[in-house]
Amino acid sequence: MTDESWAGWYRDRQGSDAVVLTTDGQQLRLRTRGIDFEGTSFDGLAPVVGAPPADDRFALVDGALSDCVLEWDLPLPVAWDGTVHQATLSCLLSLRRPDSYLSLELQFGGAAYASHRAESDFASALATIQRALPPGVRLRTCIACAFSDYFPAPEPAPGTGRGLSGGLACFRGAKDAYRGASGGGDLLELWDRRTGFVQEVWSCREYEPRPDGGAGTGHRGAFPLEHA
């Protein structure tokens, strides 16, 4: 995977700073006020090991950034009329625990398609946007891919849950097996064959559209019609 960088803003009680978010589809990195942060989820950005201590310049909860707002734009591919087009996804994330919330807006074809104002995670927000898009227009990211799924349990083991972002398992290394998966039981049998975890907004060259039903929809079902 090749790194992508997204320009944005970090805001808290001490002011606003321009930042660049960088990701390889799995690990997120952010540098602000001279401190490097990283994590697998946007609500798990912690100071990099060996970095100067994140002192009173930041509010940390369980070692991760909190009591702040992140805003950034990223290019997001959509498929329409047999062609891949580049749209822009504007993201606003309020990290104010325990009431963090996310708002997304996709600009495509001269129109804007927004999620609800206070979504709990990227999966829900992107599903809301997909439902609002015109017929035939499909998001072309990992959340809509034929080879992605979430761990099928109400209380998953640490590191396997849905969470805000980054808990989406990729099965691109077991494509044929996943194409036959339907339901949580099938997915559990394949779980240890996952390639790794990816960000819901990521897209790679091995993307294939998710089936609308039946085999190949794994535990979470079709996108955007997910199982509860």
Side-chain angles (χ1 to χ4, degrees):
M1 294 182 177
T2 303
D3 286 4
E4 286 188 6
S5 295
W6 308 322
W9 291 90
Y10 170 87
R11 309 180 193 277
D12 63 13
R13 293 181 180 178
Q14 299 193 41
S16 302
D17 294 271
V19 297
V20 175
L21 280 157
T22 302
T23 182
D24 60 3
Q26 299 174 322
Q27 194 78 358
L28 298 160
R29 295 181 295 280
L30 169 71
R31 180 175 177 83
T32 183
R33 296 175 189 167
I35 303 295
D36 293 308
F37 295 84
E38 66 179 7
T40 56
S41 179
F42 285 98
D43 59 352
L45 293 169
V48 173
V49 175
D55 45 31
D56 56 2
R57 287 172 287 179
F58 303 96
L60 302 181
V61 173
D62 296 329
L65 281 175
S66 186
D67 294 339
C68 62
V69 174
L70 289 173
E71 295 182 68
W72 70 100
D73 291 341
L74 61 96
L76 190 139
V78 298
W80 178 49
D81 198 24
T83 305
V84 177
H85 303 260
Q86 285 295 332
T88 298
L89 186 69
S90 296
C91 310
L92 187 151
L93 172 61
S94 175
L95 290 172
R96 304 189 188 281
R97 306 182 194 193
D99 299 316
S100 296
Y101 67 84
L102 171 72
S103 177
L104 304 179
E105 183 177 89
L106 184 76
Q107 290 96 37
F108 173 66
Y113 305 92
S115 70
H116 299 308
R117 291 179 61 86
E119 300 274 15
S120 60
D121 55 57
F122 276 82
S124 297
L126 291 167
T128 300
I129 288 174
Q130 179 61 69
R131 294 186 187 101
L133 286 170
V137 180
R138 301 285 295 179
L139 301 180
R140 198 180 183 277
T141 66
C142 288
I143 190 63
C145 180
F147 309 117
S148 62
D149 216 325
Y150 292 106
F151 190 76
E155 297 181 1
T160 62
R162 177 156 154 172
L164 175 68
S165 69
L168 185 64
C170 172
F171 292 90
R172 67 181 182 275
K175 293 178 182 177
D176 290 341
Y178 189 85
R179 285 190 177 101
S182 179
D186 288 350
L187 183 62
L188 281 174
E189 293 181 6
L190 291 174
W191 190 250
D192 290 340
R193 298 179 62 185
R194 67 191 182 277
T195 304
F197 294 96
V198 292
Q199 296 294 327
E200 288 80 355
V201 293
W202 189 254
S203 180
C204 83
R205 67 184 66 185
E206 297 186 57
Y207 168 90
E208 291 184 18
R210 195 165 186 82
D212 291 331
T217 55
H219 162 64
R220 66 185 179 98
F223 179 81
L225 300 175
E226 300 175 290
H227 293 166

